[in-house]
Amino acid sequence: MEASRTKKSVTNTTVSFISQLIIILLGFISRRVLIYSVGVQYLGINGLMTNILTIFSLAESGIGTAIGYSLYKPLAENNIEKVKSLMRFYRNTYRILAGMTAIVGLLFYPFLPIFLKDNTAPDANIIYFLFLGSSVCSYLWSYKVTLNSSDQNKYLYTIANTLTQILVLIVKVFILYFTQNYILYLCIELGSTLIKNIIFSIIMDKRYPYLKDKSVKKLDEVEKNTLFVNIKSLFFGKIGYILSQCSDNLVISSIVSITSVGMYSNYTTLISSVSGFVTTFSSGVTASMGNLIACETKEKSYEVYKKIDFINYWLYTFSAICLICLMEPFIMIWLGDDYVLEKGILIIAVLTFYLKGINSGIEIAKNAAGLYHPDRFVPIIEAALNLVISIVLAFRIGLLGVLIGTFVSFLCCSFWTKPYFVYRDVFNIEFSKYIRWEGKKIVIALVMGCVLYVFEMMISFQSLYIGFIVKAISVVILSNLLLMIVFHNTREFEYIKQLVHVIFNKFIFYK
């Protein structure tokens, strides 16, 4: 069982990493063409519509995660009847949600102009309905994607998704370049999503033929109650998370300008791209962690968590240092000097990315253990705090004020509450142990980041391209070298060395 979990984690992670690399490279090309074909304002509209539709998805909040968690044990025990019952419940629920999302979207439409400050794009209404259609259609096949991921086979969907996105991105780039038609661009994306989901649905029906069985037992009352408790707890949590994440663009677009949303979206695109690489690791092991918690002792689970958390810390520390040192010169090369924002925006954006990132190790354990109830109200408090601070500061200092609101609210709420409940309820370990270990690592990372940032600022070349290459090579080498020097005596670093050695031997010498 241990070998199987490790093998599936490595497979999911490897496929996801390659997928991210290809999609991100094509995405950068697509974004550059988009800016120069239709303008930065359309980037702002794109970001705003995405956030609005994400808020509409509140109805779904908790269902997918709760079902995914509920599937871990029956899949591990090969309990097909239980899997069928859960999947039928999930399918019916999502069909209802698709209809609800369509209705909410139509009711919201008259209020759309409020959030389009300084907008001059004539087709914003059409764009809104295309986004709404894409959101509604996405519900129809979500339950099969969840089953695939819970069964530790996420790589199957990743491969299908990657192949589709590669083809679609290439087509969209040509459409934008030759027609400058953003509506056609979105239509191609909507059509490709439908085709991709239909094809994947057919693949899943063949892989899990019992999904088409007509004879399905209803969930008993105990199972339903357990499921609804988890869904309710997750719903509160997701409300806070989504409002906190999506309120930024809504505040920026309504108080600052829709163009500012587009300008800042270049930063979030880079941060999301880097985050995508790192989360290929966490998403690849979450299902395996859930399988482990369902089948093993708390001591064994904590031992595995510590290893995952340290790898997660290393990846996010390295990534944050690269972002703070390289983001501005990369944007200059990618889009031009006019798209570089003030330094404070870069610092706050990277700090928020980093602190949320190193907390994701806790998130893996929390979701894998199904620990949804104790902190269910924390995200709502965080969202309310974020909204108040962001609005007040947005009127005073603009875009930077909105980002400060997000950073401060996260630091005051989710940053410490999630690890507290996980250590208390999942591992039965004192929270002070987490504070000492995590606090030490954060201080080390911040000192390293400051030192390397000052060092990188001293590197100067006439050629922007040569300067970027030299900076990139030096920051990659020095950041990892410093991490090795600081942590070379720890058990977690010893585990990383052994893991790298095993993978190297397996894929290089024993192909």
Side-chain angles (χ1 to χ4, degrees):
M1 180 65 76
E2 181 70 30
S4 177
R5 277 193 292 261
T6 303
K7 183 178 179 181
K8 288 189 175 185
S9 293
V10 170
T11 301
N12 287 330
T13 302
T14 303
V15 172
S16 295
F17 183 85
I18 295 171
S19 167
Q20 281 291 133
L21 179 62
I22 295 170
I23 291 172
I24 286 169
L25 289 175
L26 289 172
F28 282 140
I29 296 172
S30 173
R31 195 174 186 83
R32 181 182 173 89
V33 173
L34 178 61
I35 289 174
Y36 289 105
S37 297
V38 295
V40 70
Q41 189 174 75
Y42 277 91
L43 281 180
I45 293 173
N46 188 86
L48 176 64
M49 299 301 177
T50 300
N51 283 165
I52 290 173
L53 269 299
T54 301
I55 291 175
F56 290 168
S57 72
L58 277 174
E60 182 273 344
S61 298
I63 297 174
T65 306
I67 293 288
Y69 166 71
S70 299
L71 285 168
Y72 289 145
K73 189 171 182 179
L75 283 170
E77 297 173 348
N78 198 30
N79 188 343
I80 292 176
E81 291 303 317
K82 177 64 72 64
V83 173
K84 285 165 57 179
S85 299
L86 288 166
M87 293 303 292
R88 180 62 59 87
F89 173 83
Y90 195 10
R91 186 198 68 181
N92 294 340
T93 303
Y94 261 52
R95 287 178 177 176
I96 295 170
L97 292 176
M100 289 174 58
T101 301
I103 294 170
V104 172
L106 292 172
L107 292 174
F108 177 81
Y109 173 68
F111 303 97
L112 184 62
I114 297 173
F115 299 97
L116 292 170
K117 185 177 181 180
D118 299 332
N119 172 57
T120 58
D123 45 13
N125 295 335
I126 300 173
I127 294 170
Y128 172 76
F129 283 112
L130 286 171
F131 269 90
L132 179 60
S134 179
S135 178
V136 170
C137 291
S138 68
Y139 285 117
L140 302 178
W141 294 276
S142 294
Y143 68 102
K144 293 184 180 180
V145 176
T146 301
L147 171 63
N148 183 65
S149 298
S150 296
D151 202 19
Q152 305 178 68
N153 293 316
K154 189 180 179 187
Y155 69 93
L156 293 173
Y157 180 76
T158 302
I159 291 172
N161 190 51
T162 301
L163 293 175
T164 305
Q165 287 204 49
I166 290 172
L167 178 61
V168 172
L169 277 170
I170 292 172
V171 173
K172 288 196 300 185
V173 165
F174 276 99
I175 290 294
L176 278 175
Y177 185 78
F178 289 107
T179 70
Q180 288 81 50
N181 190 324
Y182 185 64
I183 299 298
L184 184 57
Y185 171 94
L186 289 178
C187 288
I188 292 170
E189 187 166 348
L190 174 59
S192 66
T193 301
L194 283 171
I195 294 170
K196 175 190 68 179
N197 286 332
I198 290 171
I199 293 173
F200 185 73
S201 177
I202 293 170
I203 293 172
M204 288 296 291
D205 286 341
K206 290 182 178 179
R207 188 174 182 86
Y208 302 94
Y210 54 79
L211 290 177
K212 296 190 292 183
D213 287 356
K214 301 296 182 182
S215 175
V216 179
K217 296 178 181 178
K218 291 185 178 181
L219 293 173
D220 62 44
E221 290 305 313
V222 175
E223 292 169 329
K224 280 186 179 180
N225 289 337
T226 302
L227 201 54
F228 282 129
V229 167
N230 284 339
I231 289 173
K232 186 171 68 174
S233 300
L234 278 162
F235 179 72
F236 286 116
K238 287 286 186 177
I239 285 178
Y241 174 78
I242 289 175
L243 292 179
S244 179
Q245 295 300 305
C246 297
S247 63
D248 284 0
N249 276 356
L250 295 178
V251 173
I252 295 168
S253 64
S254 57
I255 295 177
V256 187
S257 71
I258 194 69
T259 302
S260 295
V261 176
M263 293 288 287
Y264 178 59
S265 70
N266 295 319
Y267 280 65
T268 57
T269 294
L270 280 169
I271 291 173
S272 297
S273 298
V274 173
S275 179
F277 279 119
V278 182
T279 52
T280 54
F281 166 75
S282 60
S283 63
V285 301
T286 299
S288 296
M289 186 76 184
N291 179 279
L292 179 72
I293 289 174
C295 303
E296 302 287 355
T297 63
K298 289 181 180 292
E299 291 75 18
K300 176 67 174 177
S301 299
Y302 181 66
E303 182 183 331
V304 173
Y305 157 75
K306 286 276 287 183
K307 295 171 183 176
I308 292 173
D309 183 63
F310 184 72
I311 296 173
N312 197 61
Y313 165 79
W314 189 298
L315 291 172
Y316 272 102
T317 300
F318 163 69
S319 300
I321 291 173
C322 286
L323 282 171
I324 201 74
C325 295
L326 302 174
M327 190 186 298
E328 288 183 338
F330 181 84
I331 289 177
M332 291 178 189
I333 293 171
W334 177 33
L335 301 172
D337 294 359
D338 293 339
Y339 291 88
V340 176
L341 300 173
E342 60 181 286
K343 194 75 68 179
I345 290 174
L346 171 67
I347 293 170
I348 292 295
V350 173
L351 277 175
T352 304
F353 156 79
Y354 179 67
L355 292 182
K356 288 187 177 182
I358 60 172
N359 228 22
S360 60
I362 281 289
E363 192 75 32
I364 293 172
K366 183 176 182 293
N367 288 334
L371 186 67
Y372 309 127
H373 191 70
D375 64 341
R376 61 194 182 282
F377 297 121
V378 172
I380 296 178
I381 297 170
E382 181 180 332
L385 184 62
N386 178 24
L387 196 60
V388 171
I389 298 174
S390 295
I391 291 174
V392 171
L393 293 183
F395 282 110
R396 294 176 179 272
I397 54 178
L399 175 59
L400 179 60
V402 179
L403 304 187
I404 291 174
T406 302
F407 176 74
V408 171
S409 60
F410 173 74
L411 206 60
C412 292
C413 299
S414 295
F415 180 65
W416 65 271
T417 54
K418 285 183 181 179
Y420 172 78
F421 288 116
V422 168
Y423 265 63
R424 188 193 71 178
D425 297 339
V426 178
F427 301 129
N428 292 336
I429 295 175
E430 290 184 2
F431 182 54
S432 58
K433 188 173 183 179
Y434 173 84
I435 294 175
R436 289 193 298 270
W437 174 231
E438 207 65 29
K440 175 185 173 183
K441 290 192 295 181
I442 291 173
V443 170
I444 290 170
L446 291 175
V447 172
M448 283 175 50
C450 291
V451 170
L452 289 176
Y453 179 74
V454 172
F455 174 76
E456 294 296 316
M457 290 290 289
M458 297 167 60
I459 299 176
S460 178
F461 289 87
Q462 276 194 329
S463 170
L464 190 60
Y465 293 91
I466 294 175
F468 178 78
I469 292 170
V470 172
K471 285 183 177 182
I473 293 172
S474 60
V475 77
V476 168
I477 294 173
L478 291 174
S479 59
N480 284 290
L481 183 62
L482 288 173
L483 283 167
M484 283 190 279
I485 291 172
V486 172
F487 293 103
H488 72 281
N489 283 329
T490 62
R491 292 174 58 189
E492 288 77 17
F493 180 70
E494 190 62 34
Y495 170 75
I496 291 180
K497 286 200 308 185
Q498 293 173 2
L499 187 63
V500 170
H501 180 71
V502 169
I503 294 174
F504 183 80
N505 285 336
K506 181 175 180 180
F507 288 99
I508 303 297
F509 295 112
Y510 300 109
K511 287 185 177 178

